[in-house]
Amino acid sequence: MPIILTTRDDINLDTVFRVAWKRETVEISGKALDRIAECRASFLQLIDSDPAPVIYGVTTAMGELASQRLAHDERDRHARIKAFAAATSFGDPLPDRVVRAIAFARLTNFIEGNAATTPRMALAVAAMLDGGSMPTVSSAGQGGAGEILALYPLFAELTARFDLEVKERGALINGSPCAAALVADAALAARRRVRLAQKVFALSIEAFRAPLEHYDAALDALWGDEHEAAALRGLREFLLGAGDGRRNYQAPVSYRIVPRVLGQAHRALAAAERAATVSLASISDNPVYIPPDDAHPLGRCISTGGYHNAMATPALDDLAAIWADICLLCDRHGSKLLNGKVSQLPDLLMTGRHWADSDGHGNVGYVPMAITGYLEQAKLAAQRTFIPGTESAGAGQDDVATTAFLAWTKEATAGRCVDAAMAMLAMIASQALDVTGRAAPPALQTFVADIRSLVPPVGDDRVLGPELAKLSEWFTSQVFAT
């Protein structure tokens, strides 16, 4: 079934998942097309009124020439310019699902008439989501004040097919659909990563035989935070039916703070989901058309900074930061499990020291070192994103750049790092259960079987890197599964 768009509220996280990730198609309802046509007609009357209103890029030129008024015949000529000079970014392309999300989010400005564009342009953008491959859009080199460096190449072929009318080109390249799509993509992926983290740490808790009192239901109310309560519930869900023989004294700090850290993961996820929900439905066009009302029978156009999305980047930064923190916990848990003096697990069987090197390490014993490498990469990626200046800061209007592309790239990097770190901790925890002849709690048994299908328990010395790579890739595939 296609996604039917009638209002901008129809563009949300659920429909982004269906359109961008599951590649479902999009249709614009008759009611929405009528509204778009009505706003277009009122807008054309508005710009033909005497005196003509000052509307950037419509009745005036653009950029540094914004003070120059356009005569009536100049408006049409100005609208037909195929200005692809801004399509200069290049580098690693955004995933196809992200490009689909951007095109889908582009329709938000159209669907209630706020872009004052034509119904044909709305239909053309919707038709891009027919299931075919999307144009290539670079994730790098995005240093513009708005998002035109990404939106120009996305819509280049579309605009080449049309004899453009006034406001149509601006409606395609202005606003912030990229930021909305990027934070939505990260939020959808984060839902799965947080769920995986609950499984991995529950498995580690069971492998370590950490006291279950660290995750007691009484803490839900004592701590008084909805996100930490969600983390505690998630851990208990996977620890239901956990084995006995647990230590009767407290576990190391890294085990006791798991629900606090995962609480921050839930908190960062909630912030990303809110930023995505608001951004996807937000009218961000500039200039934006406000449909007719009693005070403005033809509507009005105003210039705004709506194209600068200030909530997406902090949300992306917070996700990157929690992925780095989770990498750190994976590093600590792995090291503690492999230290028999702390974990009370048999060093010989856990690290393979019967065939160890001169430092006493078998190949399982080296896994935390690999986790540390991913931890450091995640920490580098998790540095805060600040608003950058642009090369034109000394002249003209575009004196700052957008930030969402930078933040998304870093969050995506940190996300891949935490996938790898969680995969390695899961393998160590699986090994601990195997060498002690214990079964995982019922809710984790399929998870452990999946882990062992890629990295079987280690009995003899073998090269683990390729197996761990496959397990890491499997974790990432679970994050982006459709």
Side-chain angles (χ1 to χ4, degrees), residues 121-349:
M121 201 55 67
L123 290 169
V125 173
M128 292 176 66
L129 299 166
D130 62 0
S133 60
M134 300 297 291
T136 298
V137 178
S138 172
S139 63
Q142 302 293 342
E147 298 181 349
I148 60 173
L149 296 186
L151 295 175
Y152 263 123
L154 176 56
F155 296 117
E157 189 277 332
L158 186 154
T159 56
R161 287 193 280 114
F162 290 94
D163 192 12
L164 295 176
E165 299 177 12
V166 64
K167 190 70 167 70
E168 286 186 319
R169 182 184 51 170
L172 290 171
I173 63 172
N174 286 320
S176 54
C178 297
L182 291 168
V183 73
D185 182 71
L188 290 170
R191 288 176 176 176
R192 273 81 171 282
R193 281 203 173 99
V194 171
R195 180 75 171 171
L196 277 172
Q198 300 272 185
K199 289 185 177 182
V200 169
F201 285 110
L203 185 62
S204 178
I205 288 164
E206 178 65 4
F208 195 80
R209 293 191 180 103
L212 296 179
E213 68 185 58
H214 299 336
Y215 320 104
D216 196 285
L219 296 173
D220 296 11
L222 291 177
W223 289 352
D225 179 77
E226 61 178 312
H227 302 299
E228 290 173 354
L232 284 161
R233 287 193 302 272
L235 291 170
R236 292 195 299 270
E237 172 192 348
F238 292 116
L239 287 168
L240 188 65
D244 53 14
R246 314 190 84 82
R247 62 178 59 209
N248 59 5
Y249 57 94
Q250 69 179 20
V253 169
S254 59
Y255 279 87
R256 283 176 280 142
I257 68 170
V258 165
R260 292 286 209 182
V261 175
L262 292 185
Q264 176 57 23
H266 281 274
R267 192 175 298 113
L269 169 59
E273 289 177 332
R274 181 183 183 279
T277 299
V278 172
S279 298
L280 288 167
S282 175
I283 301 299
S284 60
D285 201 18
N286 178 53
V288 61
Y289 178 67
I290 302 174
D293 55 27
D294 292 341
H296 304 90
L298 298 179
R300 58 194 176 114
C301 267
I302 58 175
S303 291
T304 78
Y307 53 85
H308 184 94
N309 187 317
M311 71 173 68
T313 293
L316 290 164
D317 284 351
D318 284 350
L319 286 175
I322 194 58
W323 303 148
D325 282 344
I326 289 175
C327 283
L328 184 280
L329 281 193
C330 289
D331 176 80
R332 295 297 183 266
H333 278 220
S335 296
K336 290 294 185 289
L337 282 167
L338 292 170
N339 184 341
K341 293 179 181 179
V342 177
S343 67
Q344 301 176 352
L345 293 168
D347 282 339
L348 179 66
L349 293 177

Side-chain angles (χ1 to χ4, degrees), residues 13-29:
L13 272 172
D14 176 62
T15 52
V16 165
F17 178 72
R18 292 173 59 187
V19 171
W21 290 44
K22 294 183 70 68
R23 304 182 66 81
E24 295 185 21
T25 57
V26 174
E27 291 182 8
I28 301 175
S29 72

Side-chain angles (χ1 to χ4, degrees), residues 5 28 34 95 119 131 137 218 220 323 327 360 390 416 444 470 475:
L5 300 182
I28 301 175
D34 289 343
V137 178
D220 296 11
W323 303 148
C327 283
T390 70
R416 296 303 195 281
L444 292 174
K470 290 181 180 178
F475 267 66

Side-chain angles (χ1 to χ4, degrees), residues 325-399:
D325 282 344
I326 289 175
C327 283
L328 184 280
L329 281 193
C330 289
D331 176 80
R332 295 297 183 266
H333 278 220
S335 296
K336 290 294 185 289
L337 282 167
L338 292 170
N339 184 341
K341 293 179 181 179
V342 177
S343 67
Q344 301 176 352
L345 293 168
D347 282 339
L348 179 66
L349 293 177
M350 280 298 293
T351 62
R353 287 182 182 168
H354 54 298
W355 35 255
D357 62 19
S358 59
D359 293 322
H361 292 93
N363 56 1
V364 179
Y366 280 108
V367 173
M369 296 184 185
I371 297 177
T372 299
Y374 283 101
L375 163 63
E376 293 306 312
Q377 290 181 45
K379 286 163 62 177
L380 286 172
Q383 302 302 305
R384 182 169 176 81
T385 307
F386 295 96
I387 299 175
T390 70
E391 61 84 23
S392 59
Q397 304 180 71
D398 297 337
D399 53 0

